[in-house]
Amino acid sequence: MSLLVHLLVVLFGMGSWVAINGLWVELPLLVPHVPEGWYLPSYLTIVIQLANVGPLLVAVKHKVSPGRRAERGIIYGVVGVGVLASFLLPFFWKRTSLVGGTRRSVALLALTFCLALVDCTSSVTFLPFMARLRPHFLTSYFVGEGLSGLVPGLVALAQGAGVVSCLDGAGVNGSGNGTVASYRPANFPPEVFFFFLSGVMAVCLLAFVLLVRLPPTWRREPRARPGAGEGKEEPEQKAMVDPGPPRRPPPLALFLALAWVNALTNAVLPAIQTYSCLPYGGPAYHLSAALGALANPLACFVAMVYPNRSLRLMGCLTLAGTAVGAYIMGMAVLSPCPWLVHSTAGTPLIVLSWVLFVGTLSYVKVMIGLILRDEGRSALVWCGAVVQLGSMLGALAMFPLVSVYNLFRSGDPCNTECPA
């Protein structure tokens, strides 16, 4: 029974970010067919962060009426929206509309907003719901959250998306000038991939329904106050893990670290992933996306076996992940001619950088989650809110740099000439 509950928690956690992660790994197939081109990741990042209105409303509700729980109803609603939006995506992602005299992927961006509303709101509803279960199930949730990036990445690799070949321009458009990039047809189209995402969201909903109906022996529900209405509970009591001197650094430092880590992993670096990887070729982009997604659940598995709460280790890993992220950012700034673009070492190095970046900071996020889990349900609510706040600030900082000031330049995989 315990193994079954762990499996349900993993499937439930997979639904937290699977839709948005799926969009990211599918970008090599979407970019050539949308008017935004290489700017699409930047637009998606800002649309995703606009969806933070969802967790903001949940956080306000928790502040106004902290004694009443509403996670169940909210989760039912948002996951249902996720199933519907991901089901509509195959039919509308190519539709464009005129906005200010320019063609824009309005349908794709609107459905992305709906999916992001689901995923962003999950940060402040899924984690507090997990507080109702026994504490050792929390790491399984983080494993599922990591798999929400790995599974779409593996499917995209099997899809074979984004592989480019260079053809003679005379044979393609009759111009006879140079070469043109030709994207090899995928093994299956984006429509099939989006239906797969819809199925994963449906499985998440089913897993949640079963978790809600778990026997009381597997839950850790607070006792209801005598005479209290449904949904009311006793005031939350913090776990006294350390009865000695207060922990250092104070919780504010933990929240600041959490905001910084999520700004990097959820907004700053994803906004420029195309610029950091595509100059090395389509395979580099796909490998960095898929293997980086693999690093996330692996870090969670390590946290399950070795649940370290050392603040010193957390600080060292945060600095290390930030340093690797700085290298990735540097390669994006140098696009379309980053370091080692002509070398066989260029692709392995950028892929390894993404794996180390995602892996180290994913472990940091789990460490912070375990520390805050000891503080009780309210800490988990604010943990989710800070996750989204950090992501939003990162996106707001990156959007003008990418889409307004054009600090990052795209390149043609067949015609860009870089110095040797």
Side-chain angles (χ1 to χ4, degrees):
M1 182 65 182
S2 178
L3 182 61
L4 176 61
V5 176
H6 277 291
L7 177 61
L8 291 176
V9 171
V10 168
L11 294 175
F12 174 58
M14 277 184 62
S16 59
W17 283 93
V18 69
I20 294 302
N21 288 333
L23 279 176
W24 284 117
V25 298
E26 194 70 357
L27 282 179
L29 268 187
L30 304 184
V31 165
H33 301 287
V34 296
E36 290 80 7
W38 280 35
Y39 289 114
L40 182 61
S42 178
Y43 282 100
L44 291 182
T45 300
I46 200 68
V47 167
I48 290 168
Q49 301 313 319
L50 288 175
N52 278 307
V53 63
L56 176 62
L57 293 176
V58 174
V60 170
K61 181 265 167 196
H62 174 74
K63 184 67 175 179
V64 173
S65 54
R68 181 176 293 275
R69 293 183 170 187
E71 289 96 1
R72 291 184 183 182
I74 297 174
I75 292 174
Y76 276 125
V78 297
V79 177
V81 170
V83 174
L84 179 60
S86 55
F87 182 79
L88 293 176
L89 203 53
F91 303 102
F92 295 100
W93 75 272
K94 281 187 177 180
R95 301 284 183 91
T96 60
S97 303
L98 280 175
V99 178
T102 305
R103 283 283 171 185
R104 296 295 182 191
S105 304
V106 175
L108 175 61
L109 296 177
L111 290 172
T112 299
F113 176 81
C114 294
L115 294 174
L117 190 64
V118 177
D119 294 358
C120 293
T121 307
S122 72
S123 297
V124 292
T125 53
F126 285 23
L127 276 174
F129 173 78
M130 288 304 302
R132 302 185 178 201
L133 304 181
R134 293 181 180 179
H136 61 274
F137 290 122
L138 182 63
T139 306
S140 296
Y141 170 81
F142 283 117
V143 170
E145 192 177 68
L147 290 175
S148 70
L150 171 63
V151 172
L154 293 179
V155 174
L157 280 178
Q159 189 180 19
V163 179
V164 181
S165 58
C166 299
L167 304 178
D168 185 4
V172 177
N173 54 25
S175 64
N177 296 325
T179 58
V180 295
S182 175
Y183 288 84
R184 191 184 73 186
N187 296 325
F188 50 88
E191 289 78 5
V192 174
F193 183 85
F194 291 143
F195 279 128
F196 163 76
L197 294 182
S198 180
V200 175
M201 290 300 301
V203 170
C204 168
L205 181 59
L206 177 61
F208 176 67
V209 171
L210 296 177
L211 286 173
V212 168
R213 286 160 174 74
L214 279 178
T217 53
W218 297 100
R219 299 198 299 265
R220 202 179 95 168
E221 298 276 5
R223 293 175 298 171
R225 294 198 309 266
E230 185 178 357
K232 296 279 187 175
E233 63 187 41
E234 283 186 341
E236 181 182 312
Q237 296 182 0
K238 292 184 179 180
M240 298 299 294
V241 178
D242 182 7
R247 294 188 183 94
R248 293 174 181 254
L252 177 59
L254 289 178
F255 285 123
L256 290 175
L258 185 64
W260 172 254
V261 168
N262 281 278
L264 293 180
T265 57
N266 298 343
V268 175
L269 272 298
I272 50 89
Q273 187 169 18
T274 49
Y275 298 94
S276 67
C277 296
L278 281 180
Y280 297 98
Y285 180 40
H286 266 294
L287 285 173
S288 62
L291 296 181
L294 175 62
N296 192 319
L298 283 180
C300 296
F301 276 120
V302 172
M304 180 184 294
V305 177
Y306 183 59
N308 196 297
R309 290 173 171 80
S310 168
L311 298 178
R312 179 175 297 178
L313 176 62
M314 184 189 73
C316 292
L317 290 178
T318 301
L319 291 176
T322 301
V324 177
Y327 171 79
I328 296 173
M329 177 65 72
M331 298 306 99
V333 171
L334 294 175
S335 174
C337 297
W339 293 343
L340 302 175
V341 68
H342 294 300
S343 171
T344 55
T347 295
L349 185 57
I350 194 66
V351 171
L352 179 62
S353 298
W354 273 99
V355 171
L356 292 176
F357 169 74
V358 174
T360 53
L361 295 190
S362 294
Y363 188 79
V364 169
K365 287 191 281 188
V366 176
M367 290 179 68
I368 296 176
L370 292 175
I371 294 172
L372 295 179
R373 175 65 180 82
D374 295 338
E375 299 297 322
R377 174 179 172 272
S378 291
L380 288 179
V381 172
W382 291 111
C383 172
V386 171
V387 165
Q388 297 310 126
L389 176 62
S391 303
M392 180 181 65
L393 293 177
L396 293 177
M398 290 303 298
F399 183 78
L401 299 180
V402 175
S403 302
V404 178
Y405 298 108
N406 299 317
L407 295 185
F408 303 90
R409 294 185 297 128
S410 60
D412 188 317
C414 296
N415 294 310
T416 298
E417 296 183 0
C418 298

